[in-house]
Amino acid sequence: MDRELARMDPETDWERMISLYVSYRVPEFALAMMVYPVTMRMMQPSSGSATLAHTAKLERRPHRRFQDGNDFLMAWMVDGVSSAAGRSATERLNRIHRSVARKTPHLPGNFDDIDDFVYPLVLLATFGDRLQTSLGLPGVSEPMKTAWHRWAQALFHLLERESGPLADEAFPEDWHAMTTFALKFDSRPYEQTESGHRVATAMMDFFARRWFPAPFRAFGRDLTRYLAGERVCRLHRIGWISPRRERLVRVFLKFAFRAQRLLPDYRTPLPERLRRTRHTHAQLKKLEPYRAPSVDASAPVDPHRHH
């Protein structure tokens, strides 16, 4: 894989580079490690957490939400942003955003802030590098940084906000501008919300249940906290971890990354690996046998409610 990627020009072959990297280098577990912390960070603005609480999907239908999210990412990362599948996924997401915006008149402009579209794409593009370098490990190569930037930029220009398309809006001009944007976004003052606490707790608990057997679920929750970051965890009031537990998480992550570098690339592409563990519609109905009602994000949360 390294030899194949090294032969490509990230300015012209970026779509193919992202597709190969995600298909044959990324395990399903790493995809989940990226999705949940990114979502928690996206919820820093109160409008983001209130919107996710309104749809209730992360709280009440987490298996379906995880699979739907994977479908979007595979269409954009593996099939390609410009492919028929990639464009179809983008059009579907735009329709979903428009529908939710119509159903949330009490949240005016919740799909209109350009930064709220830039930020998640920047996080998806830079997550792996930021995590590895924070652990003292080598990050992604310069050509892959260029490829990830081109990927995020291309996808951004296909999205639509409530007041219109983003095709002509500015996106960070390079990798450095993306990381600078993320740091500035994270440093803004945000207010704690009950909706943010509720949704973040639900995501953290689902991640732990989905990936860790019962004796290790506390570690799974610690891992989610670490990946989200102390500032985000305190904002959503899901607690932070002690220095000893933080060291344990760091050891685990370092071991996982080093093992990935030593092990051979996957022979089976990620979309096929995801299909093997995918729940059918009938299985989802058994796991989540209820309709997700609209949630009043301002309503108090029942402290005894089990997510």
Side-chain angles (χ1 to χ4, degrees), residues 2 94 122 128 158 186 204 235 240 306:
D2 287 334
N94 288 334
V122 165
L158 293 178
D186 287 335
M204 179 175 63
L235 175 68
W240 185 236
H306 177 70

Side-chain angles (χ1 to χ4, degrees), residues 20-66:
L20 287 174
Y21 183 88
V22 173
S23 291
Y24 298 103
R25 280 279 172 85
V26 176
E28 184 181 0
F29 180 60
L31 194 66
M33 284 203 310
M34 175 178 67
V35 168
Y36 291 101
V38 165
T39 306
M40 286 189 189
R41 288 177 175 270
M42 285 167 51
M43 296 193 313
Q44 291 179 92
S46 59
S47 60
S49 59
T51 300
L52 289 171
H54 173 84
T55 63
K57 197 171 183 180
L58 279 164
E59 296 176 84
R60 298 179 179 272
R61 294 190 168 185
H63 292 278
R64 193 179 303 268
R65 177 62 168 73
F66 181 60

Side-chain angles (χ1 to χ4, degrees), residues 240-299:
W240 185 236
I241 50 182
S242 68
R244 183 184 64 82
R245 288 155 61 190
E246 183 177 351
R247 286 194 296 271
L248 183 61
V249 170
R250 288 176 63 86
V251 168
F252 170 82
L253 289 171
K254 284 184 177 181
F255 174 80
F257 278 118
R258 285 168 175 159
Q260 184 183 20
R261 290 176 184 273
L262 293 174
L263 293 172
D265 297 324
Y266 288 98
R267 293 182 177 273
T268 304
L270 180 56
E272 186 174 335
R273 284 179 274 134
L274 290 172
R275 280 193 290 272
R276 292 174 180 174
T277 59
R278 187 182 184 88
H279 294 298
T280 65
H281 181 67
Q283 290 171 329
L284 286 172
K285 287 182 70 175
K286 289 182 179 180
L287 283 168
E288 303 164 342
Y290 35 70
R291 297 182 62 186
S294 295
V295 175
D296 180 0
S298 63

